[in-house]
């Protein structure tokens, strides 16, 4: 940026700063203008430096909305049961991790507020006769869906489980991967953690004990939510 002629050095009298001469007035004006311009330059530079951070934040928001990044949240510490007569998925990953409860959670017990879990990630999943229940102490909150012709579908589905059972089969499975290198679904685990992945997964008679579930899109046809004396 072009600057005004530097008159301040010529018109400054260190021994008599308050002389009030025209040269002093001109110098003061030039100095004030220079400060204002430099101030504007600093603001512009700061704005430019802020752009990368803004872009990164916006990118993270988009990725989260698309289910590409798992949303981290404090779990309640109350496990829930999920069952399905059949699960079919493409893009399967599985690795270990830790879920954390909110500070001071009454459900922490002697766990320190942490639960050791296995994260299962599926790029696209279809579930038949989905049932989910959570024991509220004497009664269960029960959710069912996908019992009719239309099945439950989910994209970028992740479940954090302590128990998973069923009759499973996989296509092109890889066992022993580093969890940070997984590429079959939109999830990655910590570096140095054991994991596995496959092109497809099929599980009959699925049963899980979960602490968290996330999905980019979750469609539940025939959804029913009710209280029940028994769970799934």
């Amino acid at each position: 940026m072009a600057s005004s002629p530097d008159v301040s050095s010529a018109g400054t009298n260190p021994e008599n700063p308050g002389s009030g001469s025209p040269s002093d007035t001109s110098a003061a004006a030039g100095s004030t203008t220079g400060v204002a311009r430099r101030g504007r330059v600093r603001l512009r530079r700061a704005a430019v430096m802020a752009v990368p951070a803004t872009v990164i934040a916006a990118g993270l928001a988009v990725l989260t909305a698309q289910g590409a990044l798992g949303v981290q949240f404090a779990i309640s510490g109350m496990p829930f049961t999920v069952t399905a007569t059949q699960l079919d998925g493409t893009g399967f990953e599985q690795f270990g991790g830790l879920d954390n409860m909110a500070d001071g959670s009454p459900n922490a017990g002697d766990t320190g507020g942490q639960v050791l879990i296995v994260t299962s990630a599926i790029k696209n999943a279809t579930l038949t006769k989905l049932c989910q229940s959570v024991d509220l102490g004497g009664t269960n909150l029960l959710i069912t869906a996908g019992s009719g012709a239309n099945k439950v579908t989910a994209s970028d589905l992740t479940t954090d489980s302590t128990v998973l059972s069923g009759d499973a089969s996989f296509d092109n499975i890889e066992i022993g991967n580093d969890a940070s290198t997984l590429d079959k679904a939109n999830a990655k685990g910590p570096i140095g953690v054991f994991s596995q992945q496959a092109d497809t997964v099929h599980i009959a008679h699925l049963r899980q004990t979960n602490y968290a579930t996330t999905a980019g899109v979750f469609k539940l046809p025939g959804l029913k939510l009710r209280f029940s004396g028994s769970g799934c």
Side-chain angles (χ1 to χ4, degrees):
M1 181 179 69
S3 59
S4 58
D6 187 1
V7 297
S8 58
S9 59
T12 300
N13 184 354
E15 295 179 357
N16 188 15
S19 61
S21 65
S23 62
D24 290 340
T25 303
S26 175
S31 176
T32 302
T33 302
V35 171
R37 288 178 178 176
R38 284 195 294 272
R40 286 197 294 271
V41 170
R42 292 192 186 101
L43 285 174
R44 289 170 185 159
R45 287 176 181 169
V48 170
M49 292 175 66
V51 168
T54 304
V55 170
I56 291 170
L60 289 175
V62 170
L63 289 173
T64 300
Q66 293 175 343
L69 297 177
V71 179
Q72 299 299 312
F73 54 84
I75 62 171
S76 69
M78 297 178 66
F80 55 95
T81 300
V82 174
T83 65
T85 58
Q86 185 168 297
L87 178 149
D88 289 288
T90 58
F92 172 79
E93 301 173 351
Q94 200 169 62
F95 53 89
L98 283 172
D99 278 354
N100 295 278
M101 302 177 204
D103 292 340
S105 172
N107 300 317
D110 58 359
T111 66
Q114 291 186 320
V115 179
L116 182 65
I117 52 87
V118 173
T119 295
S120 300
I122 303 176
K123 179 63 178 174
N124 292 289
T126 301
L127 300 100
T128 304
K129 294 184 179 179
L130 175 70
C131 179
Q132 177 179 302
S133 64
V134 57
D135 187 348
L136 302 177
T139 189
N140 290 270
L141 178 60
L142 187 68
I143 297 174
T144 57
S147 298
N150 296 322
K151 311 305 180 187
V152 171
T153 59
S155 63
D156 297 318
L157 175 69
T158 66
T159 58
D160 291 357
S161 311
T162 53
V163 177
L164 188 156
S165 63
D167 300 317
S169 63
F170 304 91
D171 288 334
N172 298 323
I173 191 168
E174 302 169 1
I175 301 174
N177 308 59
D178 187 293
S180 68
T181 66
L182 297 176
D183 58 7
K184 300 293 185 181
N186 286 332
K188 293 183 185 297
I191 189 169
V193 171
F194 180 93
S195 69
Q196 59 185 10
Q197 64 178 1
D199 288 344
T200 67
V201 57
H202 170 81
I203 304 177
H205 315 299
L206 172 69
R207 188 174 189 87
Q208 294 177 303
T209 300
N210 293 345
Y211 278 86
T213 296
T214 66
V217 176
F218 211 175
K219 296 182 179 180
L220 298 104
L223 173 68
K224 292 183 180 179
L225 185 152
R226 59 196 183 278
F227 292 102
S228 173
S230 59
C232 298

